[in-house]
């Protein structure tokens, strides 16, 4: 069993030749997004804002924060000019209060976005305690179906999450979710914990950015060779200015074996790279999903739809796919919450993509995200979203309440 983790690929130029990424000509905007957090008593990565938001939405950095970052080996000025590429272990920020993600304008150009890839992680019917420690037989594979373009008309809340890791440029999937502190104006995105943090043997990833409705028109890889940035990212590029995952993922998360998978979720708060005319992410894409933390028991779930941009073969990461199936149960550890599992042929790159269920009210809600799958595709598993997930979500929302 492996995590459906992202990994790097050597990027190919438009002529098919392998190319390296040069950042020497990349401009840096003045917005520097920094977040400091602390571990809360509920085992989630809780937080308090450490940067000050100005009236125009930009963020200034208090001198004491700059000094604390220097104590971690991070010099802001050097970071802005390429020091982020230094992945010495001493410089890999790991703890919940270490997240840093300066906006680097133009870094995610069309070539870099396309090049990110993944080559190869007797009870009452409403009582989920009956699911604890239970694993159902592996489901039959469900063939992933390509979403008909334009994606915005059918899956407006879905998109790609791009980031850098020591191995190179990586990709996951993610979903726009509602923000209780900003009704109708959310800037929150849901994804997997392993899409923002490497887990027990690493730290926070860098240059994390969300692209809603990536490749909205569903163009082929060949057609995208000469596509403009606006064609690939029609609703802009949104950079994370805060990211939270569970303390369980930070302390236990692993690349294989399902370690930490039951807590493999994350919430990021984003800000537009180019400005959005004052509109939030939710207003820009036209919607956001509510999140259901009431973890419905498997017998109560008729169907779950998982969305994502699978990048490992036989997929190429450029198109949005979905799988729909009735979930079963997968237990990784007896003491951890039992996960949902569905049949699905999506591969790496689909990690973090939202799992949606239609609730009793007839409305869709996010109930999980893609976390792990077998070495050979055929099924996917996602964590149940309970109190720990709710704590992560609320901590990000509260951090930006009133801003």
């Amino acid at each position: 069993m492996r995590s459906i983790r992202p990994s790097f690929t050597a990027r190919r130029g438009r002529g098919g030749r392998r190319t390296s990424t040069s950042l020497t000509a990349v401009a840096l905007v003045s917005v520097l997004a920094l977040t400091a957090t602390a571990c809360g008593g509920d085992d989630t990565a809780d937080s308090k804002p450490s940067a000050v938001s100005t009236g125009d939405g930009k963020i200034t950095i208090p001198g004491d924060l700059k000094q604390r970052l220097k104590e971690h080996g991070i010099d802001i000025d050097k970071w802005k000019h390429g020091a982020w590429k230094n992945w010495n272990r001493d410089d890999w920020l790991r703890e919940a209060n270490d997240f840093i993600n300066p906006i680097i304008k133009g870094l995610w150009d069309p070539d870099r976005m396309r090049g990110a890839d993944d080559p190869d992680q007797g009870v009452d019917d409403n009582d989920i305690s009956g699911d604890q420690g239970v694993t159902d037989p592996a489901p039959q594979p469900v063939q992933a179906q390509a979403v008909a373009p334009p994606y915005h008309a059918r899956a407006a809340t879905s998109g790609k999450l791009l980031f850098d890791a020591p191995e190179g440029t990586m990709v996951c999937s993610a979903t726009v979710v509602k923000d209780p502190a900003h009704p109708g104006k959310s800037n929150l995105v849901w994804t997997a914990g392993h899409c923002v943090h490497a887990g027990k043997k690493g730290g926070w990833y860098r240059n994390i950015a969300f692209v809603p409705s990536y490749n909205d028109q569903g163009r082929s890889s060949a057609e995208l060779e000469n596509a403009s940035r606006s064609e690939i990212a029609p609703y802009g590029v949104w950079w994370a200015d805060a990211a939270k995952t569970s303390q369980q993922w930070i302390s236990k998360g692993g690349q294989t074996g399902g370690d930490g998978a039951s807590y493999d979720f994350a919430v990021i708060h984003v800000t537009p790279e180019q400005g959005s005319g004052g509109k939030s992410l939710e207003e820009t894409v036209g919607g956001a999903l509510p999140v259901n933390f009431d973890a419905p028991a498997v017998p109560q779930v008729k169907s779950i739809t998982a969305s994502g941009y699978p990048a490992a073969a036989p997929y190429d990461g450029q198109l949005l796919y979905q799988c729909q199936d009735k979930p079963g149960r997968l237990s990784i550890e007896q003491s951890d919450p039992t996960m949902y599992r569905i049949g699905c042929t999506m591969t790496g790159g689909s990690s973090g993509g939202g799992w949606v269920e239609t609730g009793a009210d007839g409305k869709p809600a996010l109930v999980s995200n893609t976390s792990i799958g077998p070495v050979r595709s055929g099924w996917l598993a996602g964590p149940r979203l309970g109190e720990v997930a709710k704590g992560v979500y609320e901590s990000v929302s509260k951090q930006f309440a009133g801003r």
Side-chain angles (χ1 to χ4, degrees):
M1 182 186 302
R2 65 178 173 83
S3 176
I4 302 292
R5 291 177 55 82
S7 187
F8 83 102
T9 181
R11 215 164 39 88
R12 294 185 180 275
R14 292 184 179 177
R17 179 173 55 87
R18 290 181 182 270
T19 60
S20 61
T21 302
S22 172
L23 299 180
T24 56
V26 173
L28 194 69
V29 295
S30 59
V31 181
L32 184 61
L34 293 175
T35 302
T37 62
C39 296
D42 60 355
D43 281 335
T44 66
D46 202 355
S47 66
K48 292 182 180 179
S50 59
V52 179
S53 179
T54 62
D56 59 4
K58 295 185 177 181
I59 296 174
T60 60
I61 309 164
D64 62 335
L65 177 56
K66 285 186 177 181
Q67 182 57 41
R68 285 200 299 111
L69 288 170
K70 284 186 177 182
E71 291 172 1
H72 280 290
I74 301 298
D75 183 292
I76 294 299
D77 293 329
K78 291 181 180 178
W79 184 283
K80 291 188 295 185
H81 290 90
W84 67 265
K85 291 179 285 184
N86 178 5
W87 290 92
N88 289 341
R89 190 165 183 82
D90 290 343
D91 293 337
W92 193 349
L93 301 179
R94 169 174 171 76
E95 301 303 326
N97 61 342
D98 290 341
F99 180 74
I100 173 175
N101 197 53
I103 293 177
I104 303 177
K105 186 176 180 180
L107 177 66
W108 292 110
D109 60 24
D111 281 352
R112 210 162 188 268
M113 282 191 270
R114 286 188 298 106
D117 206 345
D118 186 313
D120 326 53
Q121 174 177 98
V123 294
D124 182 87
D125 284 345
N126 292 316
D127 184 357
I128 66 170
S129 63
D131 291 343
Q132 189 70 22
V134 176
T135 293
D136 293 320
Q140 291 297 311
V142 171
Q143 186 63 44
Q145 300 297 310
V147 176
Y151 300 151
H152 182 259
R154 295 167 176 82
T157 59
S158 294
K160 266 196 179 188
L161 193 72
L162 303 161
F163 55 100
D164 284 297
E167 298 86 355
T169 302
M170 295 191 177
V171 63
C172 274
S173 301
T175 307
V176 184
V177 294
K178 290 187 176 296
D179 181 357
H182 298 282
K185 297 183 178 182
S186 175
N187 285 307
L188 299 185
V189 176
W190 192 282
T191 191
H194 74 257
C195 297
V196 299
H197 193 288
K200 62 184 176 183
K201 293 186 178 180
W204 295 102
Y205 293 129
R206 300 172 183 175
N207 303 325
I208 300 173
F210 176 65
V211 182
S213 293
Y214 173 89
N215 187 21
D216 188 48
Q217 297 301 316
R219 293 179 174 88
S220 68
S221 293
E223 292 172 322
L224 290 177
E225 285 285 340
N226 297 306
S228 67
R229 196 173 194 242
S230 62
E231 289 173 320
I232 290 179
Y235 297 93
V237 177
W238 298 69
W239 285 67
D241 53 9
K244 306 290 168 60
T245 186
S246 67
Q247 189 58 43
Q248 289 92 333
W249 175 258
I250 291 175
S251 61
K252 296 171 58 178
Q255 292 190 19
T256 59
D259 292 345
S262 294
Y263 297 95
D264 185 15
F265 41 72
V267 178
I268 64 176
H269 184 278
V270 297
T271 189
E273 177 181 305
Q274 300 282 10
S276 61
K279 289 185 177 182
S280 65
L281 175 61
E282 180 177 1
E283 292 171 303
T284 299
V285 304
L289 286 173
V291 185
N292 183 2
F293 297 105
D294 195 17
V298 167
Q300 293 297 307
V301 183
K302 295 181 179 180
S303 177
I304 282 179
T305 299
S307 301
Y309 285 85
Y315 307 97
D316 64 7
Q318 307 311 314
L319 302 176
L320 181 64
Y321 284 82
Q322 292 181 333
C323 287
Q324 186 174 25
D325 194 19
K326 179 174 176 57
R329 296 166 289 189
L330 176 66
S331 177
I332 302 297
E333 291 187 22
Q334 178 72 30
S335 60
D336 288 347
T338 298
M339 303 176 72
Y340 292 123
R341 180 164 63 165
I342 62 172
C344 185
T345 60
M346 284 197 292
T347 59
S350 62
S351 277
W355 289 31
V356 177
E357 181 215 7
T358 300
D361 60 0
K363 297 180 180 179
L366 187 131
V367 295
S368 186
N369 56 263
T370 298
S371 174
I372 58 173
V375 174
R376 294 184 179 180
S377 60
W379 57 261
L380 300 175
R384 272 242 185 71
L385 305 184
E387 288 302 311
V388 174
K390 186 177 182 181
V392 170
Y393 173 76
E394 290 182 343
S395 70
V396 181
S397 175
K398 289 177 181 178
Q399 180 177 340
F400 290 85
R403 296 201 202 181

